[in-house]
């Protein structure tokens, strides 16, 4: 499981060092794609394959499902971390997520998310009460 919050810096070449805690698990390569809320999602290859298969199995008659599947495939980049645990984020990914030097990598249980540090703070500020006040309707499938 990927858990926790980490604050690596993006270097001038667009490289980001992934948390040391996860490096061994990520050695086989990762799939980086646009996530929701203008973040990037980092999946292990097998986990990404499962997600892609589910996306492709969705109804082709559903406009949102088609858009999701297309964007997922078109925006995914395969990376293999170097010996220092760094990955290179493509320019388009950096633009989409608004990444500057200060980044935040969060564990999202089955994947990692990469956020611009300011965007992550704003997201937390906007959604802290949502988290604290979540009712049974929202959490029924979880709790």
């Amino acid at each position: 499981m990927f858990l926790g919050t980490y604050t690596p810096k993006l270097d001038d070449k667009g490289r980001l060092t992934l948390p040391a805690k996860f490096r061994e698990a990520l050695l086989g390569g990762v799939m980086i794609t646009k996530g929701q809320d203008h973040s990037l999602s980092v999946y292990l290859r097998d986990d990404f394959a499962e997600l892609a298969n589910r996306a492709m199995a969705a109804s082709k008659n559903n406009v949102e499902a088609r858009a999701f599947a297309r964007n997922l495939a078109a925006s995914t980049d395969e990376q293999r971390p170097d010996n220092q645990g760094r990955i290179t984020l493509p320019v388009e990914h950096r633009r989409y997520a608004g990444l500057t030097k200060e980044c935040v990598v969060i564990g999202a249980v089955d994947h990692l998310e990469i956020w611009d540090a300011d965007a992550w703070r704003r997201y937390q500020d906007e959604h802290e009460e949502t988290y604290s006040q979540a009712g049974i309707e929202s959490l029924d499938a979880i709790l």
Side-chain angles (χ1 to χ4, degrees), residues 38-143:
H38 288 273
S39 65
L40 299 177
S41 295
V42 180
Y43 290 92
L44 297 174
R45 292 169 52 118
D46 290 345
D47 293 340
F48 181 82
E50 289 177 26
L51 172 63
N53 288 333
R54 286 193 311 270
M56 294 312 297
S59 173
K60 302 291 189 243
N61 294 326
N62 182 311
V63 173
E64 290 177 350
R66 281 196 318 267
F68 180 84
R70 284 178 181 142
N71 279 290
L72 180 69
S75 69
T76 299
D77 183 50
E78 186 172 3
Q79 291 275 326
R80 189 171 299 275
D82 68 12
N83 292 336
Q84 296 174 338
R86 296 177 302 192
I87 55 173
T88 301
L89 299 175
V91 172
E92 178 57 24
H93 280 166
R94 287 182 269 153
R95 185 204 58 76
Y96 172 78
L99 297 179
T100 57
K101 190 166 192 70
E102 304 296 324
C103 295
V104 174
V105 175
I106 64 164
V109 182
D110 67 342
H111 68 284
L112 295 170
E113 292 182 356
I114 301 171
W115 290 75
D116 174 73
D118 288 336
W120 176 243
R121 278 190 287 279
R122 283 191 307 273
Y123 182 86
Q124 286 186 300
D125 290 346
E126 291 172 18
H127 295 282
E128 182 64 33
E129 282 306 309
T130 304
Y131 175 76
S132 297
Q133 302 293 323
I136 193 68
E137 306 82 32
S138 302
L139 301 176
D140 190 40
I142 299 172
L143 301 176

